[in-house]
Amino acid sequence: MSQPGLRERKKQATRDALRLAALRLAALRGWDQVRVEDIAAEAGVSVRTFSNYFATKEEALLATGHQRAEQIIEALAARPVGEPLWAALTDAVVDGFAGDESDMRQVVRLQSAPLLTDEHLKTYAVIESGVAAAVASRIGADADRDLYPRLVAGAVLSAIRVTMEHWRQNGATQPLPAVLRDALGQVAAGLPVPAELRK
């Protein structure tokens, strides 16, 4: 694949600066106290430039979720053809979350914000559909007709959401990718009761 040119890299850098600025400000002030003007100023660009990338402040904030999903989908497509599905999914998810735990802490803090509930649901549906399509493509299924790809996508996204919340509540003392790998391993195994919890 060809590498993006300078113009494309600059555009991506500006987009990243805006979405990360939205995350930082929302975590610091509360989402209802953040304006488009604030996000643009935090990123060091004009409001007009902001509008070239995002239609609303909600779109800027939720762009992180969309980008993460794209990374996971691309990573899954790049996994070896003969690799078992859950092993491929686990590595794709873990790789997608490597290296940016500070951003993830901010995302988790905002997940329960009431003003974003509807937008989060819309974003979740889009991401779930994309992951289901990627799973279907890998196993030769039809994401619209077959239930299994959607079940897998739903299970993976639920595992990610619950794991991130658990990780934050427990002080984020362990690396998030390691916690995600353990969680997805439990899901892949059918969620047996851990030995230490058996009576």
Side-chain angles (χ1 to χ4, degrees):
M1 296 178 63
S2 61
Q3 295 297 314
L6 178 60
R7 180 180 177 84
E8 288 72 23
R9 293 198 301 272
K10 285 184 175 180
K11 289 176 66 176
Q12 185 60 52
T14 300
R15 182 180 177 84
D16 287 343
L18 286 166
R19 69 175 180 80
L20 293 174
L23 276 176
R24 285 194 300 272
L25 291 175
L28 287 171
R29 303 181 184 178
W31 187 235
D32 57 337
Q33 300 299 315
V34 177
R35 304 171 302 160
V36 167
E37 292 83 355
D38 301 323
I39 298 171
E42 177 75 7
V45 301
S46 67
V47 172
R48 181 175 181 179
T49 296
F50 175 95
S51 299
N52 289 336
Y53 291 86
F54 301 108
T56 66
K57 67 174 190 175
E58 288 79 13
E59 188 178 308
L61 181 69
L62 296 173
T64 293
H66 285 290
Q67 181 167 308
R68 182 81 55 239
E70 290 171 5
Q71 291 173 341
I72 291 171
I73 290 168
E74 289 174 2
L76 178 60
R79 299 300 304 173
V81 174
E83 187 175 28
L85 174 63
W86 278 98
L89 268 171
T90 298
D91 280 344
V93 170
V94 169
D95 290 347
F97 279 87
D100 56 1
E101 291 186 359
S102 62
D103 295 342
M104 289 304 100
R105 289 187 183 93
Q106 293 171 346
V107 170
V108 171
R109 281 199 293 268
L110 294 168
Q111 282 182 332
S112 60
L115 294 176
L116 286 172
T117 299
D118 290 343
E119 294 299 324
H120 270 136
L121 289 175
K122 292 175 186 176
T123 298
Y124 187 93
V126 170
I127 292 173
E128 183 181 88
S129 177
V131 174
V135 169
S137 176
R138 186 172 184 86
I139 66 175
D142 186 325
D144 294 325
R145 186 187 68 243
D146 298 320
L147 178 61
Y148 185 75
R150 293 186 64 186
L151 283 175
V152 171
V156 168
L157 293 179
S158 292
I160 291 172
R161 178 184 58 79
V162 171
T163 299
M164 288 175 63
E165 180 63 26
H166 170 82
W167 175 71
R168 186 187 67 82
Q169 288 178 343
N170 285 272
T173 55
Q174 293 180 285
L176 178 57
V179 182
L180 278 169
R181 184 176 293 281
D182 177 64
L184 290 170
Q186 293 185 55
V187 173
L191 291 176
V193 179
E196 65 270 20
L197 298 180
R198 295 174 191 160
K199 295 182 178 180

